[in-house]
Amino acid sequence: MINSNSSKIGDWIVAFLCFLLILVCLLPMLNVLARSLSTPEALIRNEVLLWPVGLNFEAYQTVLTDSVYTWSLVWTAILTIIGTVVSLILTTICAYPLTYDHLKGRKFFNTLIIFTMYFSAGTIPMYLLLKDLSLLNKPPVLILPYCLSVFNMIIMRSFFYGIPESLRESAEIDGAGPIRILINIYLPLSTSVIATLSLFYAVGRWNGFSDALMFMNKREYYPIQLLLYNILNNINQIEVATQEGFTSPGLSATLKSATVMFATVPILMVYPWLQKYFITGVTIGAVKG
Amino acid sequence: MKTALSKPSVSRQQKNLNYFKRYWTLYLLLLLPITYFIIFKYIPMTYIQIAFKKYSIIQSPWEMPWAANNGFEYFIKAFANRDFLYALRNTLMLNLLDLVCGFPAPILLALLLNELPFKRYKRITQTIAYMPHFLSWIIISGLALQLFAPTDGLVNILLNRMGFAPIPFLNDPAHWVWTYILLGIWQSVGWNTIIYLAALTAINPELYEAASIDGAGRMRKIWHITLPGLRPTIITLLILSLGRILGSEFDRPYALKNSLVNSVSNVISIFVYDYGIKGLQFSLTTAVGLFQSAISVIFLFGANSLAKKFGERGIW
């Protein structure tokens, strides 16, 4: 009896610690949300904690009417969609042939691919290559250089390995070729891994920063993270700041909060729905990686 | 004699031909990915020779003249460069702190979540704990700049109201280092529990029942059953972490740094960006990058063989 009581107290302590964790994760987001919705004056008076003071949508209006910022959001969305599709196709057509145990040269291909996971040439060789390919400052540079991740390919390959080989064999007996088997049997069974990898690639592109910083100097092609960095660090303030009223430092602070919200919300709306999938994805990757 | 020799080779050729007739589409599928790896992973490796050569904009890497000191001119220059030595020190310092503070954190959290008896509450906690992983470092730096601002940030407002002096979280080198480490834990701790939680499900529940019957409490069960169950996972992840000890992230320090903390925030990746892409010193920065990659590979192999020496499975 004593034992079960003490273990019940233990349960509540654990639950309380988890509650603290939730707070620590959420408070920074709530703080920024509150700041973005407050009046500049309230911000300057240090009144804003977790709840907006003097509810005010001005910052959101300013951001939404700023063509540079809205274009960057749209452009990043376009990049994310194209990039994710390209990456998924490449990952699939890379992983699928490698699941054929009898594929001649399979070991060679595997070594060729896995080696790049442990040794990479580095930033400058990549930069010089892109320069020689005259890809620098052109839109494809934001998609091509990192469009196929070995780690994600291994996740997909492991998932394909889990599909019973008897399905493939019976289709082969019916005269189906490898591509047909991929499209008609493997892909329909792989929705969960496709969902996982879509999330990984899409988040990677949406959050991608350093490739744009290094390889892209045309402002009309700045993805959202690069623009956001410039806004947060007051570089080239014309971006969102051309509107009148910018002179008040408070408004600039609410503006910064609003721009952070816009860049964050799309991801926060997507990831919880895919939780079940990405957990299996990460687990498969860890086991086989 | 002649026919006896040539016959099997003909039939092998025939066999190969049949094989390729049947499976050529597999090679067709591989064509594009392999081309990707050759162009974007292997051709850059041929550019590594720039580290040993005098860079010239009009020549291909193969034609550039060798650098002085048997080609090692730029490695010598790098180690005579104060900025690089600082970057090397900072990279090691931040990565070591990350390893010491950041590595145990997800293990502890996984143990905590594993003890949580309320299923629904557990799932909500997990969903929220995964959230920071999906935020870019630019966004996190945006959150941190506002949360930790010296006068109008939430934390310093609260400290002020409670009568404490404000803390310069991001504006003073020593504080910046700890803020950097804590934000790293904040971003990754939840996500990194996934692997451990998966490993925990593989532990036989009968072990816990047997321990309960023997009168073992919560802590004893964690110590004698849960942690030993996690051991292989911990070792594998530790090896991979050791392989990254000289690797340097770019986004995280770059997003969080400011001009007041350059002395601790400039890591190797930022040095390469500043001296290479902005400063156009390609030979020097390629040399630095090669040094970094080589050390990383050595550390990875070293950690792996050390683990094997102690009877663990390793990553190969």
Side-chain angles (χ1 to χ4, degrees):
Chain A
M1 207 55 209
I2 297 164
N3 191 22
S4 91
N5 257 345
S6 76
S7 90
K8 216 164 229 166
I9 293 170
D11 284 348
W12 284 106
I13 293 174
V14 169
F16 177 70
L17 289 176
C18 286
F19 179 69
L20 285 185
L21 175 78
I22 292 177
L23 281 187
V24 169
C25 288
L26 289 185
L27 288 187
M29 297 300 305
L30 287 178
N31 179 233
V32 173
L33 183 65
R35 288 169 69 102
S36 70
L37 288 171
S38 299
T39 56
E41 296 75 38
L43 268 188
I44 293 172
R45 288 197 304 268
N46 292 345
E47 283 171 355
V48 184
L49 297 176
L50 298 173
W51 203 251
V53 177
L55 198 61
N56 170 20
F57 291 94
E58 203 182 331
Y60 285 83
Q61 256 169 10
T62 313
V63 172
L64 277 180
T65 49
D66 184 274
S67 61
V68 175
Y69 194 84
T70 45
W71 162 245
S72 182
L73 280 175
V74 172
W75 168 239
T76 313
I78 296 170
L79 272 180
T80 303
I81 293 167
I82 298 176
T84 306
V85 170
V86 168
S87 295
L88 274 180
I89 292 174
L90 276 175
T91 308
T92 310
I93 63 179
C94 185
Y96 175 71
L98 297 176
T99 57
Y100 278 75
D101 285 335
H102 57 66
L103 182 80
K104 288 185 203 298
R106 175 162 158 267
K107 210 166 179 175
F108 168 75
F109 293 129
N110 267 330
T111 315
L112 186 89
I113 292 165
I114 303 292
F115 179 74
T116 65
M117 228 172 143
Y118 297 112
F119 185 81
S120 85
T123 313
I124 298 301
M126 179 61 108
Y127 176 83
L128 294 174
L129 170 79
L130 294 171
K131 204 174 85 167
D132 285 354
L133 294 175
S134 33
L135 277 171
L136 278 187
N137 308 321
K138 303 219 173 78
V141 87
L142 296 175
I143 291 178
L144 291 178
Y146 303 106
C147 65
L148 178 47
S149 136
V150 179
F151 184 76
N152 288 349
M153 192 282 287
I154 290 175
I155 292 179
M156 188 162 237
R157 198 184 62 183
S158 309
F159 188 89
F160 284 161
Y161 269 129
I163 295 174
E165 213 161 328
S166 55
L167 283 176
R168 179 157 87 202
E169 280 158 10
S170 64
E172 274 181 353
I173 290 166
D174 292 343
I179 292 185
R180 228 194 147 114
I181 294 173
L182 172 66
I183 293 171
N184 290 343
I185 297 175
Y186 275 65
L187 290 185
L189 288 172
S190 308
T191 43
S192 69
V193 76
I194 291 170
T196 306
L197 298 188
S198 303
L199 180 75
F200 289 175
Y201 279 124
V203 169
R205 182 58 272 168
W206 184 268
N207 283 345
F209 167 73
S210 55
D211 58 341
L213 179 75
M214 293 173 185
F215 307 146
M216 173 58 72
N217 65 13
K218 291 236 167 55
R219 294 164 117 232
E220 64 267 34
Y221 295 134
Y222 275 10
I224 192 66
Q225 304 295 338
L226 184 50
L227 185 64
L228 189 61
Y229 177 83
N230 289 344
I231 293 172
L232 291 173
N233 292 281
N234 305 320
I235 299 165
N236 308 324
Q237 281 226 334
I238 354 151
E239 319 282 21
V240 181
T242 39
Q243 270 71 18
E244 50 202 80
F246 172 70
T247 39
S248 100
L251 181 60
S252 132
T254 58
L255 267 182
K256 283 181 182 177
S257 304
T259 52
V260 169
M261 289 310 297
F262 272 107
T264 314
V265 164
I267 292 178
L268 295 192
M269 289 194 315
V270 176
Y271 93 91
W273 310 105
L274 296 170
Q275 179 161 336
K276 191 177 77 192
Y277 299 129
F278 66 67
I279 287 178
T280 23
V282 172
T283 315
I284 298 175
V287 172
K288 288 279 181 175
Chain B
M1 192 67 189
K2 216 177 172 186
T3 44
L5 263 176
S6 60
K7 222 179 179 181
S9 90
V10 164
S11 82
R12 185 186 290 158
Q13 260 179 14
Q14 193 63 39
K15 240 169 116 183
N16 276 342
L17 202 69
N18 281 341
Y19 183 85
F20 284 111
K21 246 184 195 162
R22 197 162 160 203
Y23 292 111
W24 65 275
T25 43
L26 290 177
Y27 296 93
L28 184 73
L29 289 177
L30 272 176
L31 187 66
L32 217 50
I34 295 296
T35 312
Y36 165 81
F37 283 110
I38 288 171
I39 293 180
F40 289 106
K41 301 286 176 191
Y42 283 94
I43 294 184
M45 288 182 200
T46 68
Y47 283 69
I48 288 176
Q49 52 183 310
I50 293 172
F52 303 96
K53 292 183 165 181
K54 247 176 104 74
Y55 182 78
S56 127
I57 200 159
I58 44 165
Q59 286 169 309
S60 91
W62 303 98
E63 300 158 349
M64 293 173 196
W66 291 97
N69 289 318
N70 299 320
F72 283 92
E73 168 82 353
Y74 292 102
F75 291 89
I76 295 166
K77 270 193 175 158
F79 279 94
N81 185 316
R82 275 174 62 97
D83 286 342
F84 171 69
L85 293 175
Y86 271 117
L88 185 61
R89 183 204 67 180
N90 293 340
T91 307
L92 280 172
M93 173 184 69
L94 294 175
N95 286 346
L96 268 176
L97 285 175
D98 257 346
L99 189 65
V100 173
C101 309
F103 188 79
I107 302 173
L108 295 175
L109 182 58
L111 294 178
L112 188 73
L113 285 170
N114 195 44
E115 295 297 317
L116 193 61
F118 317 109
K119 283 275 156 340
R120 219 184 135 77
Y121 183 51
K122 184 179 172 188
R123 232 194 45 224
I124 294 170
T125 311
Q126 281 174 278
T127 308
I128 293 171
Y130 298 152
M131 187 265 296
H133 171 81
F134 291 99
L135 305 180
S136 76
W137 276 105
I138 309 303
I139 291 171
I140 296 176
S141 85
L143 297 178
L145 279 173
Q146 306 187 14
L147 202 64
F148 295 138
T151 52
D152 65 340
L154 174 75
V155 179
N156 277 324
I157 292 178
L158 290 178
L159 284 175
N160 185 34
R161 286 187 190 174
M162 291 187 286
F164 293 105
I167 298 174
F169 289 99
L170 289 162
N171 301 330
D172 160 76
H175 286 94
W176 186 88
V177 170
W178 291 109
T179 312
Y180 175 93
I181 300 298
L182 284 176
L183 285 172
I185 295 176
W186 183 78
Q187 192 246 8
S188 63
V189 67
W191 184 257
N192 289 342
T193 59
I194 294 179
I195 293 172
Y196 292 114
L197 287 173
L200 284 176
T201 58
I203 297 175
N204 187 351
E206 283 173 23
L207 289 176
Y208 290 104
E209 285 161 28
S212 297
I213 292 166
D214 290 346
R218 193 190 292 266
M219 286 303 170
R220 286 185 79 90
K221 279 189 257 181
I222 290 177
W223 188 253
H224 291 290
I225 303 172
T226 317
L227 276 176
L230 287 181
R231 194 182 146 109
T233 315
I234 293 175
I235 301 282
T236 307
L237 294 180
L238 198 57
I239 295 172
L240 291 174
S241 296
L242 283 173
R244 280 194 291 264
I245 201 77
L246 200 64
S248 58
E249 292 172 86
F250 181 82
D251 289 12
R252 181 173 163 205
Y254 193 83
L256 292 174
K257 80 189 176 82
N258 58 61
S259 55
L260 297 172
V261 295
N262 279 339
S263 60
V264 288
S265 68
N266 274 354
V267 294
I268 294 177
S269 58
I270 293 178
F271 173 87
V272 168
Y273 171 69
D274 282 342
Y275 272 72
I277 292 175
K278 278 162 80 179
L280 306 180
Q281 298 197 37
F282 295 130
S283 291
L284 177 74
T285 44
T286 307
V288 167
L290 176 61
F291 168 74
Q292 197 179 16
S293 292
I295 297 286
S296 296
V297 171
I298 291 169
F299 262 87
L300 192 67
F301 274 86
N304 193 50
S305 53
L306 203 66
K308 280 188 171 159
K309 217 170 226 166
F310 284 99
E312 302 291 343
R313 207 165 55 99
I315 53 171
W316 288 293

